[in-house]
């Protein structure tokens, strides 16, 4: 799994800058009725991978690249496909049988708390870019439909 690294090494300055960026993006998202993460990424000017790394650093969560997601096996027996898609979360297992809760939106504490309550087991929480998680879930839907 990717280690979350801040875009800048200035520590508190970067945290203050990111906090201000989030506050501005939150206001813009509310006034324009848009998704916070979309506005935040546009405002940051970062590509998907760098944006996800910045979120990981801000929330102290590891990040998962698309290739890491696809190497995992979904655990729809723990949280079903429909709930995963609706809430932007995924429970998946690595080849080493390590269980992960993957979040698309770390600002959505409600979905994270909901998933953790449902799991009632030890999981590693990480972040994937929302587009990567949507693509992964779409592929799983195709596979489920083919069955």
């Amino acid at each position: 799994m990717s280690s979350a690294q801040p875009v800048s090494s200035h520590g508190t300055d970067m945290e203050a800058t990111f906090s201000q960026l989030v506050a501005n993006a939150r206001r813009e998202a509310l006034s324009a009725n848009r998704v916070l993460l979309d506005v935040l990424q546009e405002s940051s000017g970062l590509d998907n991978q760098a944006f996800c790394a910045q979120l990981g650093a801000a929330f102290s969560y590891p990040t998962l690249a698309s290739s890491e997601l696809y190497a995992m096996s979904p655990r729809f027996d723990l949280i079903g496909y429909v709930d995963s898609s609706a809430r932007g979360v995924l429970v998946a297992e690595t080849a080493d049988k390590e269980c992960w809760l993957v979040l698309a939106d770390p600002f959505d504490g409600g979905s994270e708390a909901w998933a953790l309550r449902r799991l009632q087991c030890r999981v590693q929480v990480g972040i994937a870019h929302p587009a990567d998680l949507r693509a992964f879930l779409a592929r799983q839907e195709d596979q489920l439909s083919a069955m």
Side-chain angles (χ1 to χ4, degrees), residues 1-146:
M1 305 309 127
S2 303
S3 174
Q5 297 295 321
V7 174
S8 170
S9 61
H10 297 301
T12 338
D13 291 342
M14 187 60 199
E15 291 168 16
T17 302
F18 186 73
S19 294
Q20 187 59 46
L21 192 63
V22 170
N24 292 341
R26 195 178 301 274
R27 280 192 295 277
E28 184 179 333
L30 284 172
S31 69
N33 198 28
R34 294 185 56 211
V35 175
L36 172 61
L37 283 181
D38 293 344
V39 174
L40 185 58
Q41 184 168 2
E42 286 173 17
S43 300
S44 73
L46 299 171
D47 65 21
N48 289 0
Q49 185 177 358
F51 179 68
C52 195
Q54 184 65 48
L55 286 176
F59 284 87
S60 299
Y61 283 150
T63 59
L64 291 98
S66 180
S67 59
E68 292 169 312
L69 272 178
Y70 283 95
M72 296 175 139
S73 300
R75 292 292 311 270
F76 294 132
D77 58 314
L78 298 175
I79 293 183
Y81 172 81
V82 172
D83 285 330
S84 291
S85 293
R87 292 186 174 266
V89 300
L90 171 71
V91 178
E93 194 173 74
T94 65
D96 296 335
K97 303 293 183 199
E98 184 178 21
C99 200
W100 280 76
L101 172 61
V102 183
L103 309 172
D105 183 354
F107 291 101
D108 183 359
S111 287
E112 179 181 356
W114 173 86
L116 290 170
R117 278 193 311 274
R118 293 218 22 188
L119 292 173
Q120 297 181 357
C121 63
R122 187 177 181 97
V123 294
Q124 172 70 41
V125 179
I127 299 171
H129 191 276
D132 291 340
L133 188 56
R134 281 191 303 272
F136 179 86
L137 289 170
R139 184 173 181 188
Q140 297 304 313
E141 181 182 34
D142 290 344
Q143 291 175 350
L144 290 171
S145 297

